[in-house]
Amino acid sequence: MSGRRFVIFLFSLAILAVFNAFSLWSIYLLYADGNFGLMVTMVVLTLLIDIIALNPKGYPYRYMIPAMILLFILTLYPMYYTFRTAFTNYGTGHLFTRQQSIQKLLSDYFYIPESPEEFEFSIYIELDNYNPTDRFITLLTSRNNGSLFAAPRPQAISRDAEGNITHATAKMFEVSGDSFSIGSVNYTLSRSPDDRILTIRADSGERFIYFYSPQDSSTRPNASFYFSEIRGIWLRNAEFTNSEGNQVRLFPNSLYTTFATTERKYALRAETTFSAGRAVQETVVYNRQSGRTLLEEGGFFYDIDANGNEFIVEGYISDVGFWNFVRMFQDPKIRGPFFQVFGWTFTWAGLSVLFSFVIGLALAITLNDQRLKGKKIYRTLLIIPWAVPAFISALVWRNGFFNETYGVLNRFIVQGLFGMEPIKWLNDAFWAKVSVLIVNTWLGFPYMMTVSLGALQSIPEEFYEASSIDGATKFQRFRKITFPLLMVTIAPLLVGSFAFNFNNFTGIYLVTQGGPAIVGASTPAGATDILISYTFKLAFEGRGQDFGFASAISIIIFIIVAGFSWINFKLSGSFEEVSR
């Protein structure tokens, strides 16, 4: 092996080692997250790439490795995730796993006992160039016995999607002889002649000054900073723990002007049940206040109030089998709108292809006429709708032409020319469908004109000369020669155009956003929604997200589009080319 090849070999091994390290890390994360199916796929992909890279017989396949990686990232993973989600109830109210929901029940829910110990509190903050900061210490004074405790700024345990702290904790340290210690740092209180605590000094150099107390009216000028930067961020969901292990929180009964001891509302316990004559022990969540065990059904935990009524406390992601598919047929509030959307999707795609093809073919025949002068100018002008970005054209049509009050069509034609009532282009179901078809035809006919023009110019002129000698009329020449030969080239493109419009989210969403809404629908379905825009609304709009149902519809779209692709391949003869 030459020196150059040896260097290349070492470089390849280094790249393979980095790839394997990344794969092992991904496999571990997938295992920890419970994505076992995807984990197995990742293992197989990694082993396959290693074998191809290390085995000399796999040399021709090495050039396929980048494609395999991209196939996995861009195709296999989204497909796996969509299929997996379609068989779950993942959505609003079911965003966490069962284990995460139990953890929330154990940590986020609490209740005030009958005789809680209350604490008055004062906030001491550190200054930075005479400006208050959010570095603070809370001093708590027991109303029962006057004992004094100090708590550092709590540490954030969990945050929501927007970064807000949802749970923060800190320990309370008893103040003895005007001093206390937090870890290895000692703090000393400094008092005024009238025995008020003015500052807290740390032996490490920090100095915290008296800033705010709900019980001290002289600190009200500092209330805005306290509410926005201290309570609003750090204390709202803070939980201090005293030396006895009790949780201390802001007390709602005093309008959050004091702290009070609280109790965890839910806890775990083991219960023994009998199934098929056998004793089965299982761990359940129960309400510590009422002693009742929480019920689990349909991916929800239900608690029971004093009147015996069940209410939802937490939801979690659970497998629902084919329920998301069954809902499309069983639930009348979903079935009706869904099949309206389903039918309109086919109508929209079919009419879009028909109108754009008919107009494009007519213009192509006109431009193909040898007697026409200025073809380049006409061709350039007719290409403009295709050249302008689709979203600009769609917004111009929506706001400039279809606006009910100021739109060109209503103002100058419908009202100005014919004196009729303005048409509700975007707010009436029928006219909204007409609007989106007009816009899509405008955007689509230049493409059809271009491909038709190319196909027309490929038809040998001898065919027309022979038909003229036989006395064929223009219509007969079109029907017997032009159209059949045109279809040989155009038919696969028409199928492809149908598949494209089947998922033409932009054409719908930029013009009508799927509206107007279908009356009585329990899902965010609109009269001009097609399946892909309906899926988008289910997943990201409306009163709540339903990712499971949206994924189920995505699978149906996938099957339909895959069917169109298969037809397209058959028409274009792609499979025959591959089999040769």
Side-chain angles (χ1 to χ4, degrees):
M1 182 182 291
S2 65
R4 183 170 176 274
R5 293 191 64 181
F6 183 69
V7 171
I8 294 175
F9 176 72
L10 289 179
F11 182 70
S12 302
L13 279 182
I15 294 177
L16 191 63
V18 171
F19 170 76
N20 276 279
F22 175 77
S23 298
L24 288 174
W25 176 64
S26 302
I27 290 167
Y28 170 75
L29 291 180
L30 291 171
Y31 172 77
D33 197 38
N35 285 324
F36 301 115
L38 200 57
M39 182 195 73
V40 172
T41 306
M42 190 71 185
V43 170
V44 172
L45 182 68
T46 304
L47 291 175
L48 196 60
I49 290 175
D50 285 347
I51 292 172
I52 291 174
L54 298 175
N55 188 351
K57 293 182 180 179
Y59 185 83
Y61 300 101
R62 293 178 186 175
Y63 301 100
M64 298 291 292
I65 291 177
M68 290 173 64
I69 295 174
L70 292 175
L71 177 72
F72 176 81
I73 296 174
L74 302 178
T75 305
L76 292 182
Y77 179 73
M79 286 178 63
Y80 167 80
Y81 195 76
T82 302
F83 273 83
R84 183 173 175 238
T85 305
F87 294 93
T88 68
N89 58 359
Y90 185 34
T92 300
H94 303 276
L95 297 174
F96 303 100
T97 63
R98 183 177 182 274
Q99 186 61 36
Q100 289 171 327
S101 294
I102 291 176
Q103 188 60 42
K104 282 173 62 64
L105 287 170
L106 301 181
S107 61
D108 294 358
Y109 292 83
F110 64 94
Y111 69 95
I112 309 295
E114 291 184 2
S115 302
E117 182 180 4
E118 273 191 81
F119 298 86
E120 295 181 352
F121 69 96
S122 304
I123 302 295
Y124 293 77
I125 66 168
E126 191 175 13
L127 298 180
D128 184 8
N129 290 329
Y130 302 102
N131 294 315
T133 68
D134 64 351
R135 298 187 293 274
F136 66 93
I137 290 177
T138 306
L139 283 186
L140 302 101
T141 307
S142 172
R143 282 185 171 177
N144 290 354
N145 52 28
S147 299
L148 192 61
F149 298 90
R153 189 180 73 177
Q155 291 186 341
I157 302 300
S158 61
R159 297 176 182 268
D160 61 17
E162 297 177 353
N164 300 315
I165 297 173
T166 56
H167 188 208
T169 61
K171 286 186 177 179
M172 294 168 58
F173 299 88
E174 186 171 5
V175 178
S176 177
D178 281 354
S179 64
F180 62 94
S181 299
I182 299 178
S184 59
V185 181
N186 297 317
Y187 294 85
T188 305
L189 308 185
S190 298
R191 295 178 181 269
S192 66
D194 58 354
D195 204 33
R196 290 191 302 167
I197 301 173
L198 298 179
T199 59
I200 302 175
R201 294 177 183 274
D203 58 8
S204 57
E206 291 94 349
R207 182 168 174 266
F208 299 85
I209 67 166
Y210 179 49
F211 186 73
Y212 178 78
S213 174
Q215 288 77 35
D216 186 354
S217 59
S218 66
T219 61
R220 284 181 183 172
N222 299 329
S224 60
F225 185 87
Y226 162 74
F227 282 108
S228 62
E229 302 298 327
I230 305 296
R231 179 183 148 181
I233 296 176
W234 295 102
L235 296 183
R236 184 178 56 177
N237 295 309
E239 183 180 85
F240 297 133
T241 305
N242 63 17
S243 58
E244 298 174 353
N246 297 321
Q247 286 74 47
V248 178
R249 289 173 172 266
L250 282 171
F251 191 28
N253 293 5
S254 67
L255 299 179
Y256 305 103
T257 58
T258 62
F259 278 81
T261 53
T262 60
E263 298 285 346
R264 301 280 187 197
K265 189 171 184 179
Y266 300 107
L268 296 175
R269 69 183 175 191
E271 283 188 355
T272 303
T273 58
F274 291 90
S275 176
R278 298 178 58 188
V280 178
Q281 194 172 51
E282 58 180 356
T283 303
V284 298
V285 183
Y286 76 103
N287 188 324
R288 296 178 64 195
Q289 195 173 11
S290 64
R292 295 189 179 95
T293 300
L294 268 62
L295 304 176
E296 280 190 65
E297 186 176 353
F300 284 110
F301 283 103
Y302 292 88
D303 201 350
I304 302 172
D305 62 17
N307 299 320
N309 299 317
E310 298 177 1
F311 61 92
I312 297 171
V313 286
E314 280 292 339
Y316 59 87
I317 302 170
S318 64
D319 294 329
V320 295
F322 288 91
W323 170 241
N324 286 322
F325 297 91
V326 173
R327 288 170 64 193
M328 301 176 196
F329 304 96
Q330 285 192 348
D331 190 338
K333 290 186 178 180
I334 293 177
R335 182 180 60 213
F338 172 75
F339 280 105
Q340 282 189 48
V341 172
F342 191 80
W344 166 244
T345 304
F346 280 90
T347 306
W348 146 265
L351 290 180
S352 294
V353 173
L354 177 66
F355 292 155
S356 57
F357 175 65
V358 169
I359 295 174
L361 178 60
L363 293 171
I365 292 173
T366 305
L367 291 174
N368 197 43
D369 193 329
Q370 301 298 326
R371 295 167 297 176
L372 184 67
K373 304 296 182 184
K375 289 182 181 179
K376 292 184 179 178
I377 297 175
Y378 295 135
R379 193 179 300 170
T380 303
L381 292 175
L382 291 170
I383 289 295
I384 287 177
W386 199 15
V388 176
F391 72 92
I392 293 178
S393 297
L395 293 177
V396 168
W397 275 98
R398 172 186 170 85
N399 300 310
F401 287 86
F402 296 138
N403 187 287
E404 194 172 326
T405 305
Y406 306 107
V408 173
L409 294 178
N410 272 352
R411 190 171 183 182
F412 296 104
I413 298 177
V414 178
Q415 290 179 290
L417 186 62
F418 298 104
M420 299 168 62
E421 289 293 319
I423 295 174
K424 298 179 180 178
W425 291 102
L426 305 178
N427 295 312
D428 179 83
F430 172 78
W431 289 110
K433 291 177 180 177
V434 172
S435 302
V436 292
L437 283 173
I438 290 174
V439 175
N440 211 37
T441 303
W442 168 263
L443 295 173
F445 84 82
Y447 169 74
M448 292 297 180
M449 181 192 72
T450 304
V451 297
S452 298
L453 191 58
L456 287 172
Q457 291 173 351
S458 67
I459 299 175
E461 195 63 30
E462 290 81 4
F463 290 173
Y464 296 109
E465 292 175 359
S467 62
S468 297
I469 294 172
D470 291 340
T473 63
K474 288 185 177 180
F475 178 72
Q476 287 175 325
R477 279 186 286 173
F478 175 80
R479 189 165 66 89
K480 298 291 187 180
I481 299 174
T482 304
F483 195 74
L485 293 178
L486 201 63
M487 282 297 103
V488 174
T489 308
I490 299 295
L493 299 177
L494 293 180
V495 175
S497 180
F498 184 90
F500 169 78
N501 284 302
F502 197 85
N503 279 329
N504 191 353
F505 175 83
T506 307
I508 293 293
Y509 206 76
L510 289 181
V511 179
T512 64
Q513 295 183 332
I518 296 176
V519 178
S522 61
T523 54
T528 57
D529 263 325
I530 57 177
L531 286 173
I532 191 67
S533 64
Y534 181 49
T535 304
F536 177 82
K537 287 181 174 182
L538 284 171
F540 303 109
E541 290 188 351
R543 289 168 293 181
Q545 285 72 50
D546 194 343
F547 300 118
F549 189 49
S551 297
I553 296 177
S554 297
I555 291 175
I556 292 177
I557 296 174
F558 170 77
I559 294 171
I560 294 172
V561 174
F564 291 144
S565 300
W566 182 81
I567 294 172
N568 201 9
F569 285 140
K570 292 293 288 182
L571 289 175
S572 62
S574 299
F575 292 140
E576 285 76 4
E577 289 291 331
V578 171
S579 61
R580 285 176 186 174

